[in-house]
Structure formats: C-alpha cells, structure tokens
Amino acid sequence: MIAENLKYVNERIQKSCLKAGRDEKEVTLIAVSKTKPVPDLMEAYQEGCREFGENKVQELVDKYEVMPKDIHWHMIGHLQTNKVKYIVDKVTMIHSVDSIKLAREISKEAQKKQVTVSILIEVNVAGEESKFGVSMEEAEPLIRKIALLDGIKICGLMTIAPYVEDEEKNRQYFADLKQLSVDIATKNIDNVNMNVLSMGMTGDYAVAIEEGATYVRIGTGIFGERHYAV
Ligand SMILES: *Cc1c(COP(=O)(O)O)cnc(C)c1O
C-alpha cells in the first residue's frame, strides 16, 4: 500500500511541476511519519524515501536511533525550548521556528554541539487562532533578530494552511507565502536565504507546488490515516 501511495504521490508531484513549468528537482517530498511504526517507515525507505518528517521530539529521536543513518530528519512540529537539546545534532532542518526565545535556545545548543542548524520560520498565513507561527507582518522583524545568532542558518519559510476540502481555497495563502519569501530575499539580510518554501500537505500539495513549494510534507497520502491513542 505504502509503495503504491508513494508512486501516486510522486506522479502527482511530477504533474504539478509540469503544469507549473517547474523542474521536478526543485520539489522534495518529505514523508511525514508521525504516529506510524518503524516497519511502515522502512517500507517508504525501501521505496527510496530519505526525507522524513516528525512532529514530536521523543518520537523523532526513537526513530532516528533505529532507522538507517542516511535519512534526513525534519522537525515539523511545535518545539518546546527544553527539548531542543535532544535534536539539534540529529535533524536536517527545523521547520517550526516562530519565536526569538526558541531561536536563542537552538543557537545555544547548536554551539555546544558545534553544529549549524538549518531552520525555517513558521508563518501563520491564514491567521488561524489554533495555529502556531508568526503573522506575515512579524516574519521579517523576527528574521532580522534570528539572523544575528550563531549556529543557525535561516533557509526559508514554512506554513500549515487551513484544512480544506477544496485545495483551491488555499492557493492564495501559498501565493502570499511565496511573495513574502521573495520580498525578504530582496532585502539581502546577512545569514538569511529564502531558498526553501515548506508548504503543502496531503490535501493541498498540488496547489502548493504550483505556487512555488520546494518541500511538500505528506503523511496521510503515503502512510494512510493516523490513529491517535487515547
Ligand atoms: C501531520 C503534518 C503534516 C502531514 O499532514 P497530512 O495531511 O497527513 O499529509 C504536514 N505538516 C505538518 C506540520 C504536520 O504536523
């Protein structure tokens, strides 16, 4: 099942790139494996997945320990400052930075472990109450502050769009995030690049790619529905 799902997702990514006149090499699929057991991740790995996304520190660390070492791990969920130390030297990128406090902690732990951590700034484009992330207006001031910290490299922006039945409803949010990243890129802030746009999930990745996504984060579309323990 996972193999077939992956084939379907990869074909849709290709089609969306074609439609948008983009090179498919510009778009990387992150397999979002939260709540899923290791054998499921291994199946995706065997099908060629090397980018995995998790939203909980403990789960990421547990899977990191047992999965092959050539995997790139992406922290995509809200991150508490007291847990930063467990992942700074394990993740390829932290997608969910939305405060100077969190960035300072990442900087501190990165310097202790002598690594540079690539991060994205999470933007709550739709202004949803329930979501983490800074507003569109807050993004640049925050980026200017974080850019001064050692051990951190800002690589772009991330958003979680609203849950919608019709992905067209999210097109404008993705276009807005892209525009924001272009605007910030033109400011040429030291230690900041805007090469990465992490946007698009199972329900809306085709539209996200048309609007410029470079990472799409797909869980359900690859691994099936998630069942949360109660
Ligand atoms: C769970 C999650 C995803 C994947 O969601 P699906 O709808 O299952 O594809 C993507 N991004 C983040 C931040 C998530 O928490």
Side-chain angles (χ1 to χ4, degrees):
M1 199 57 192
I2 290 170
E4 285 155 44
N5 289 345
L6 265 169
K7 191 163 170 277
Y8 174 78
V9 167
N10 278 316
E11 280 169 10
R12 247 187 112 208
I13 290 173
Q14 277 175 14
K15 274 188 203 146
S16 305
C17 286
L18 201 65
K19 185 173 170 199
R22 299 183 60 196
D23 184 337
E24 61 187 78
K25 288 192 206 76
E26 291 173 24
V27 180
T28 302
L29 170 62
I30 299 177
V32 176
S33 47
K34 61 189 187 198
T35 80
K36 296 297 174 182
V38 166
D40 286 12
L41 277 68
M42 276 311 297
E43 193 175 340
Y45 179 86
Q46 256 126 33
E47 294 302 317
C49 282
R50 292 296 180 272
E51 314 291 324
F52 286 81
E54 289 285 341
N55 69 340
K56 294 217 159 65
V57 167
Q58 187 64 54
E59 196 175 341
L60 189 153
V61 170
D62 289 347
K63 287 171 176 172
Y64 174 93
E65 298 298 344
V66 297
M67 293 286 293
K69 287 294 163 260
D70 62 341
I71 287 174
H72 296 148
W73 294 95
H74 297 260
M75 179 59 194
I76 61 174
H78 179 65
L79 181 56
Q80 288 171 300
T81 48
N82 62 343
K83 295 194 174 155
V84 167
K85 57 178 176 286
Y86 302 117
I87 61 161
V88 280
D89 55 347
K90 298 185 178 66
V91 293
T92 289
M93 193 170 274
I94 299 174
H95 291 229
S96 46
V97 178
D98 63 357
S99 73
I100 187 67
K101 179 168 170 251
L102 176 58
R104 284 201 183 107
E105 185 66 19
I106 294 170
S107 170
K108 190 182 96 191
E109 293 299 328
Q111 289 175 79
K112 267 194 211 165
K113 298 214 163 74
Q114 302 195 329
V115 293
T116 299
V117 182
S118 294
I119 66 156
L120 304 178
I121 304 301
E122 180 172 354
V123 183
N124 183 358
V125 183
E128 288 180 288
E129 285 279 340
S130 59
K131 298 255 165 85
F132 292 103
V134 294
S135 68
M136 298 274 282
E137 296 72 36
E138 289 163 334
E140 188 186 327
L142 177 62
I143 285 169
R144 287 188 183 277
K145 281 189 220 156
I146 296 177
L148 305 173
L149 302 175
D150 291 322
I152 289 197
K153 190 170 157 37
I154 299 175
C155 301
L157 306 177
M158 177 272 224
T159 198
I160 304 173
Y163 179 79
V164 288
E165 294 285 338
D166 173 11
E167 61 182 323
E168 283 301 329
K169 294 208 170 99
N170 281 340
R171 185 180 292 278
Q172 191 59 48
Y173 296 131
F174 296 139
D176 289 348
L177 193 71
K178 169 74 185 185
Q179 188 58 51
L180 181 64
S181 91
V182 170
D183 290 347
I184 292 170
T186 60
K187 309 269 165 91
N188 285 317
I189 305 167
D190 265 358
N191 196 28
V192 175
N193 75 61
M194 285 284 129
N195 296 337
V196 175
L197 263 189
S198 171
M199 58 187 195
M201 304 170 32
T202 297
D204 55 20
Y205 67 94
V207 164
I209 290 169
E210 287 170 33
E211 298 302 330
T214 67
Y215 277 132
V216 289
R217 309 177 308 265
I218 301 181
T220 315
I222 297 171
F223 298 105
E225 294 293 330
R226 285 179 290 275
H227 303 285
Y228 292 93
V230 281

